[in-house]
Structure formats: C-alpha cells, structure tokens
C-alpha cells in the first residue's frame, strides 16, 4: 500500500502563512509534514524529516528560494519540487525551472488546483521511471580492515544476488588505486569514475548513467580508475554527489572498499545505511575485525546496522562461533565457506552466484542478500532443490515489487494487519 506523499512546505521571508495554508490541498494523498519558515530551517528539516515532495512558497523573486530549490534538487534528486509564488516578476519563473523545480503555481489558487499540479508532478516523475518512487535506496558499504579478506568477491556476489532477487542494483568500486571489482564481475571498464570526473560540468542522473557500466545481471557498476595515479582525482566530495544519484535510481547500492579507513571509505561509511564487515577465520584477522568494529563504534556508527560476515569460514580451522564471540565481541551473521570455485569464478570474471549457483558459497552469498532484504522488511524464500523455478519471471517481479515498497528513508512500510509479509525468492534459477 502506498503511503501519502510526505510534503514539506518552506515559507520564504514575507510570505503570509495563511495564504499558503489556504492553498494547500486537504487531500489524503498529501500529508504536510511541516510548514517551515526560512531557507536554513527548511534545509535542516529536510535533512531530518522523511520527505517525498518539497513545496517552496515565496512572494516573488527570491534568491533564497532559488538557492533552496537548487540545493534540494542536487541533494535529493528523487524528490520533486513545486513553487507557490504570490507574484512572478520577470525572469523568476524561468530561473525557478532552470534550477530544477518541477512546476510552479501563482497564488492565490484553490486547493483543488494546487492538488492537481502536485499530483501531476508526482505522476510524471513516477512515469519517467528515472527516479525511485520513494527516494533513497539503502546503501551497503562492504568493509574489511585488511587486504584480501574477500571484500571484492563479496561485493560482486552480493550485488548480483540482490539483482537476482529482482532489485535494480548499483555497485561502486571505492578501491580507488587498485580497484578490481570490474575484473571480478567481468565488466568492461570502458568508462571509469576518473573519466566522469574529467568530463567536468555538473553531475546529474543522465550524466552519471553514461558512466556506469552494465553487467549481464543488470547490476550497474561505477568502475574505479584504471591507474593508481588517477585515484587522487576522486575526492570524497565528488563521491558524496554520486551516492544520492545512485540511491535515487536503484533499489540497492553496494560499495566495495579498499583496505583501511581512507577518507573516501570513512565518507562512504558515514553515508551508508549498512556496513557489511568481512573478516576471515584466523586469530590475526579476527583481531583486525574487532579493531574495525571498534573504529566504527568510535565513529558513532550504530552497531545494529553492521552485518558481520566471516569469509573462508571452515570448521576445520578450529575456531567456532564462541571463539569469534570471545575475540570480536559478537557472533557472525553470515558464514561464507572456503570454496575453490570462488577464485575460479573470479578468474572467469563471473561471480559464483552465476557460475555455480548451487555451491555452498553461492548459497551463503544469497543468504547475505537475504539478510539485507529481511532488514528492509522483506521475507526471502530460499528455493529448495525440489521446487521448480517457474521460469516466468515471477521471481523478479515479486522481488522488485517488494523492494520498492519502502519509504524515503529506505525503511520498509508497516504492513496492514493480516497482510502477509512480502516474500522474495533467493534460490538459484534452473536452466
Ligand atoms: N570464500 C572464499 N573461498 C575461496 N577463496 C576466496 C574466498 N573469498 C575470497 N577468496 C579469494 O581470496 C582472494 C581475495 O579476495 P578479494 O579480492 O575479494 O579480497 P579483498 O578484500 O577485496 O582484497 P583487497 O583488500 O586486496 O581488495 C581472491 O583471490 C578470492 O578469489
Ligand atoms: Mg578488493
């Protein structure tokens, strides 16, 4: 069930609040989450309040209003903006559209007419299909304090497993010097994020679209620079512009990272919904995993948003979950077995969830995807060997429908009483 459109109304200096209130629709579809006076206050509220639509009300030409619109369009490309103006002096309307507003209404106007314009804008945005209906998609930062723990293999398999569940997924390689996500996935690095930076100009959804490389699974990959000397061009500020655009056009964003807490990795953690911490099963790696988790804690990162993965988890090495608990301070959420098919799949340039979907490692990666789906409020269903895949695409459609029923914070909607939990299938497809 779709929730009402949460609408924030920003009142510019001089505009009469009553005039604006009188124009706002009483429709159940439009839920006014706040009427806020001034640009600064509106901007702060926008950061703190889940908002699907911004209405900016002003008396006439207002640089403050234009600034607010431009900032909102840039930071929240998934959120439409409508202007209510008491007067439209020369050039103001043109500027309003230039900075990215979707529509404008001259006040006074009837609530019915304002409602018509708001609904028109919302429907057009959804029909354009470029932006997600409900704003920000969850972003998962795959982290491992040391090199070689399996971050890249996990990122590629997690991204593909989420795509197999029906979601649209973007992956970003934040290992800026030695990124090999494209290689692990078999994506041709025709364009990289370095090319995107070099291209200059402003960044928007269309521009970014031309620089993400498609994978056969549907995952879109923003590839790391091909040479280490190009890495310094990719600054955290640039990446902070990229994330909201990807989150507005995907159901999930997965970030591969470099070893250690580099500036771009710290910035990615700060911006992510979840951290997927990868450790391996030996004492030295577990000590580093504990240090990594402690660092996240020092950064103020909520430990509930951390998913702990033990890679190369093999019972024969003599370390069990209790030992992990003693060293790391928590039990692993997911264990990925050591499997010779993993490096084989990497060498083939195809994630193991595609090459050997029935292997234990592939099942573990699908469990990892299921963990995130579950955290987003969707109940995944592991296909059993006896359950035939109907081969009619129902898996993807069901999954996508479920993935999309989130609000702008990426949180799952409350279910109506008696409504069954949405179910996703994460089993391997039969050929
Ligand atoms: N579960 C596994 N079983 C067997 N081999 C694995 C497993 N996970 C990872 N590997 C192998 O370990 C190596 C390192 O994996 P990967 O490149 O994903 O690590 P990383 O953390 O991204 O490394 P870096 O920090 O250098 O980027 C690869 O050769 C990969 O094939
Ligand atoms: Mg790597």
């Amino acid at each position: 069930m779709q929730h009402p459109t949460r609408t924030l109304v920003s009142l510019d200096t001089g505009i009469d609040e009553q005039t604006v209130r009188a124009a706002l629709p009483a429709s159940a579809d439009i839920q006014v989450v706040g009427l806020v006076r001034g640009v600064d206050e509106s901007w702060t509220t926008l950061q703190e309040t889940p908002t699907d639509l911004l209405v900016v009300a002003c008396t006439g030409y207002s640089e403050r209003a234009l600034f607010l619109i431009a900032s909102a369009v840039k930071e929240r490309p998934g959120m439409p903006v409508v202007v209510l103006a008491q007067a439209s002096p020369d050039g103001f309307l043109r500027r309003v559209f230039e900075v990215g507003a979707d529509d404008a209404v001259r006040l006074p106007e009837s609530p019915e007419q304002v409602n018509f314009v708001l609904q028109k804008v919302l429907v057009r945005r959804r029909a354009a299909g470029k932006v997600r209906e409900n704003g920000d998609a969850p972003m998962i930062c795959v982290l491992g304090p040391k090199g070689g723990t399996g971050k890249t293999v996990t990122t590629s398999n997690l991204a593909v497993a989420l795509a197999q569940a029906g979601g649209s997924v973007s992956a970003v390689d934040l290992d800026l010097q030695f990124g090999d996500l494209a290689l692990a996935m078999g994506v041709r690095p025709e364009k990289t994020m370095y090319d995107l930076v070099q291209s200059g100009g402003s960044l928007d959804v269309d521009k970014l679209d031309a620089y993400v490389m498609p994978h056969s699974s549907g995952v879109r990959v923003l590839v790391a620079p091909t040479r280490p000397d190009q890495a310094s061009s990719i600054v955290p500020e640039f990446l902070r512009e990229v994330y909201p655009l990807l989150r507005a056009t995907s159901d999930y964003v997965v970030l591969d990272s470099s070893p250690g807490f580099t500036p771009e990795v710290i910035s990615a953690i700060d911006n992510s919904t979840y951290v997927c911490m990868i450790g391996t099963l030996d004492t030295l790696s577990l000590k580093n995993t504990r240090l990594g988790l402690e660092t996240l804690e020092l950064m103020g990162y909520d430990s509930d948003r951390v998913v702990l993965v033990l890679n190369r988890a093999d019972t024969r090495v003599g370390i069990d979950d209790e030992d992990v608990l003693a060293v790391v301070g928590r039990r692993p959420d997911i264990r990925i077995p050591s499997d010779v098919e993993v490096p084989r799949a990497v060498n083939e340039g195809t994630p193991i969830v595609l090459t050997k979907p029935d292997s234990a490692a592939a099942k573990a990666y699908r469990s990892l995807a299921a963990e995130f789906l579950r955290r987003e409020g969707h109940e995944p269903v592991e296909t059993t060997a006896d359950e035939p895949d109907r081969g009619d695409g129902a898996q993807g459609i069901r999954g996508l429908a479920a993935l999309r029923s989130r609000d702008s914070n990426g949180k799952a909607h409350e279910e109506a009483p008696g409504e069954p939990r949405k179910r996703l299938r994460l089993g391997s497809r039969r050929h």
Side-chain angles (χ1 to χ4, degrees), residues 11 55 107 244 277 314-315 363 365 400:
L11 304 169
V55 172
L107 293 181
M277 176 70 83
D314 195 318
T315 47
K363 284 179 183 157
Y365 289 122
L400 191 56

Side-chain angles (χ1 to χ4, degrees), residues 142-157 173 175 178-181 184 256-260 278 280 310-313 335-347 352 361 365:
V142 178
L143 213 62
K146 273 197 89 171
T149 51
K151 297 179 288 296
T152 301
V153 170
T154 304
T155 303
S156 56
N157 281 287
D173 193 346
D175 191 347
F178 299 103
D180 42 18
L181 183 64
D256 187 13
S257 65
S258 55
I278 316 283
T280 53
L310 269 194
N311 190 22
R312 295 166 175 271
R335 292 170 146 259
I336 297 165
S338 198
D339 189 337
V340 67
E341 292 297 341
V342 172
R344 199 168 280 165
V346 170
N347 293 342
I352 193 171
Y365 289 122

Side-chain angles (χ1 to χ4, degrees), residues 347-420:
N347 293 342
E348 270 181 45
T350 311
I352 193 171
V353 290
L354 293 170
T355 57
K356 290 275 185 279
D358 294 323
S359 63
K363 284 179 183 157
Y365 289 122
R366 286 199 298 276
S367 300
L368 180 59
E371 175 71 26
F372 291 108
L373 293 165
R374 212 176 347 254
R375 282 167 180 251
E376 290 297 308
H378 306 294
E379 186 182 329
V381 179
E382 183 75 27
T383 312
T384 64
D386 303 329
E387 187 183 345
D389 186 335
R390 289 192 290 149
D392 58 0
Q395 172 174 344
I397 293 163
R398 267 201 271 166
L400 191 56
L403 277 169
R404 291 222 161 118
S405 63
R406 276 194 303 268
D407 67 19
S408 64
N409 273 345
K411 292 276 175 288
H413 298 319
E414 292 288 309
E415 284 159 10
E419 186 186 333

Side-chain angles (χ1 to χ4, degrees), residues 220-231:
R220 307 182 311 150
V221 185
L222 185 56
V223 180
T226 45
R227 292 205 325 258
D229 58 285
Q230 297 172 341

